[in-house]
């Protein structure tokens, strides 16, 4: 039952990241007053056409990985778990390091404009961390089922 909490959380993160892509596209093509301005959705370091392609590829990866995790089609190898944990936590540290210098109380509009795209990058980092935690959980679950079926190894 607990594995569905991981899958549900990963699905929520996919939805939030998809909202970012859709919101950014809508504001760029057909600006809406109820969405943040187009300039807040990305930092402008990369051309929009390249950024959109990369974001769609990342979302496809997230969706396929979530589906495969839900269907038990991912073998939880130790290198995959370690890679997800190291990459996710490393990415999160980099994002927080970018956010912290601009924090002021009360926050000014310039910091919020810079922090908005970083929030969605944080969602991606949390997704990768959650995937690593799920793979660790799934490996333990598979090991337990294996030993239930075949018995514990002799010592």
């Amino acid at each position: 039952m607990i594995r569905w909490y991981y899958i549900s959380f990963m699905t929520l993160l996919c939805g939030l990241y998809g909202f970012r892509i859709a919101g950014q596209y809508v504001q760029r093509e057909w600006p809406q007053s109820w969405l943040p301005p187009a300039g807040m959705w990305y930092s402008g370091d990369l051309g929009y056409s390249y950024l959109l392609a990369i974001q769609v590829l990342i979302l496809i990866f997230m969706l396929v990985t979530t589906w495969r995790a839900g269907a038990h089609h991912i073998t939880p190898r130790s290198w995959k778990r370690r890679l997800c944990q190291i990459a996710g936590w490393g990415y999160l540290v980099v994002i927080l390091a970018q956010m912290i210098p601009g924090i002021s109380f009360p926050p000014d509009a310039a910091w919020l404009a810079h922090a908005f795209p970083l929030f969605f990058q944080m969602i991606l980092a949390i997704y990768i961390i959650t995937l690593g935690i799920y793979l660790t959980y799934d490996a333990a679950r598979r090991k337990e089922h294996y030993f239930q079926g075949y018995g514990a190894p002799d010592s």
Side-chain angles (χ1 to χ4, degrees), residues 19 36 40-42 99 111-121:
F19 172 75
M40 283 186 70
W41 290 93
Y42 65 103
M99 289 179 89
W111 180 79
L112 287 176
H114 180 68
F116 193 69
L118 292 176
F119 169 75
F120 289 105
Q121 290 180 16

Side-chain angles (χ1 to χ4, degrees), residues 59-135:
L59 182 61
I60 290 170
F61 166 78
M62 291 170 73
L63 291 170
V64 168
T65 304
T66 302
W67 177 81
R68 290 189 70 212
H72 287 294
H73 291 297
I74 298 178
T75 306
R77 306 266 185 230
S78 61
W79 67 269
K80 291 178 186 176
R81 298 188 309 252
R82 274 188 245 121
L83 179 66
C84 286
Q85 293 297 318
I86 291 169
W89 285 109
Y91 191 41
L92 188 62
V93 166
V94 168
I95 292 165
L96 291 175
Q98 290 177 349
M99 289 179 89
I100 290 173
I103 294 176
S104 61
F105 297 100
D108 60 346
W111 180 79
L112 287 176
H114 180 68
F116 193 69
L118 292 176
F119 169 75
F120 289 105
Q121 290 180 16
M122 199 178 318
I123 288 173
L124 180 58
I126 292 169
Y127 178 86
I128 295 169
I129 293 167
T130 304
L131 178 61
I133 293 169
Y134 169 77
L135 290 173

